[in-house]
């Protein structure tokens, strides 16, 4: 990849940030690939933050909203994705706490109903186990899963 100058990198990143939300870590990764010096990276990041092109809290809010509503992810999976993007713990918790439990239920309940129709199982116990495993893999917590399945005892379905 062609090495960019500091000004070229800045202009490229402002263009990217004007089109979609990005976090600081994503921009740093791009600059590392362009082999910019650490000083240049720091100057560019500071300028992008000062000019409000990047804001990790704003990014996290948009990211969480999209992942819950459109990708149908649960809290755990979204939290892990934010961690991988190096979003600060305080911002992660603040933004994830803003999502109402009812939002997760509105997302999970229809998914489980649809999945129930396509899952092959010999018994209700096996069916519920497969549905729970599916929901857990999507990042939903056991308490949300129980509410969506109307399960009284979570140990009843654990293997």
């Amino acid at each position: 990849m062609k090495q960019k100058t500091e000004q070229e990198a800045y202009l490229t990143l402002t263009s990217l940030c004007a089109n979609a939300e990005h976090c600081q870590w994503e921009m740093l990764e791009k600059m590392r690939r362009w082999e910019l010096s650490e000083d240049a990276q720091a100057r560019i990041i500071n300028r992008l933050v000062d000019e409000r092109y990047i804001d990790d809290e704003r990014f996290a809010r948009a990211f969480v909203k999209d992942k819950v509503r459109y990708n149908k992810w649960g809290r755990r999976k979204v939290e892990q994705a934010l961690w991988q993007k190096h979003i600060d713990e305080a911002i992660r918790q603040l933004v994830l706490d803003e999502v109402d439990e009812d939002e997760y239920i509105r997302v999970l309940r229809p998914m489980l109903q649809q999945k129930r129709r396509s899952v092959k199982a010999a018994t209700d116990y096996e069916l519920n186990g497969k549905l729970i495993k599916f929901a857990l893999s999507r990042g939903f917590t056991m308490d949300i899963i129980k509410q969506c399945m109307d399960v009284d005892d979570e140990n009843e379905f654990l293997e």
Side-chain angles (χ1 to χ4, degrees):
M1 176 171 273
K2 179 182 165 257
Q3 192 171 2
K4 291 184 182 256
T5 66
E6 187 172 336
Q7 185 61 22
E8 289 172 337
Y10 171 76
L11 292 173
T12 303
L13 295 178
T14 56
S15 176
L16 284 171
C17 292
N19 292 325
E21 288 292 338
H22 293 281
C23 64
Q24 289 184 38
W25 181 79
E26 290 172 336
M27 299 298 101
L28 284 170
E29 283 301 300
K30 287 190 181 306
M31 289 188 283
R32 282 187 199 113
R33 284 193 305 246
W34 297 334
E35 300 174 358
L36 260 71
S37 70
E38 301 255 334
D39 292 341
Q41 289 178 31
R43 282 192 300 273
I44 292 172
I45 286 294
N46 288 336
R47 191 169 168 195
L48 290 172
V49 169
D50 290 344
E51 295 172 3
R52 307 245 330 123
Y53 281 106
I54 13 180
D55 179 344
D56 280 352
E57 188 172 330
R58 188 178 65 211
F59 166 81
R61 278 196 174 84
F63 185 85
V64 168
K65 181 179 154 197
D66 285 354
K67 295 304 178 190
V68 171
R69 290 190 183 150
Y70 303 116
N71 294 51
K72 301 184 183 333
W73 285 7
R75 180 185 173 102
R76 297 293 304 145
K77 192 166 183 173
V78 174
E79 187 174 20
Q80 184 178 21
L82 288 172
W83 177 80
Q84 288 175 324
K85 292 195 176 282
H86 301 266
I87 301 299
D88 185 69
E89 171 73 19
I91 293 172
R92 284 197 316 255
Q93 292 310 313
L94 172 74
V95 171
L96 286 167
D97 289 344
E98 290 174 359
V99 179
D100 189 24
E101 191 174 279
D102 293 339
E103 178 78 21
Y104 292 119
I105 292 171
R106 280 192 296 276
V107 167
L108 182 58
R109 190 166 271 145
M111 274 183 16
L112 286 176
Q113 290 169 346
Q114 183 177 3
K115 187 71 173 173
R116 184 181 296 271
R117 291 190 285 271
S118 66
V119 170
K120 306 268 188 279
T123 64
D124 282 347
Y125 178 82
E126 184 182 355
L127 174 67
N128 286 332
K130 287 181 177 185
L131 291 174
I132 289 171
K133 194 178 285 187
F134 167 74
L136 288 170
S137 75
R138 298 296 297 221
F140 291 93
T141 56
M142 197 62 202
D143 59 321
I144 299 290
I145 297 168
K146 283 172 38 177
Q147 289 179 47
C148 291
M149 294 182 66
D150 300 321
V151 175
D152 294 327
D153 180 15
E154 75 181 69
N155 294 325
E156 181 180 330
F157 299 103
L158 300 177
E159 297 174 27

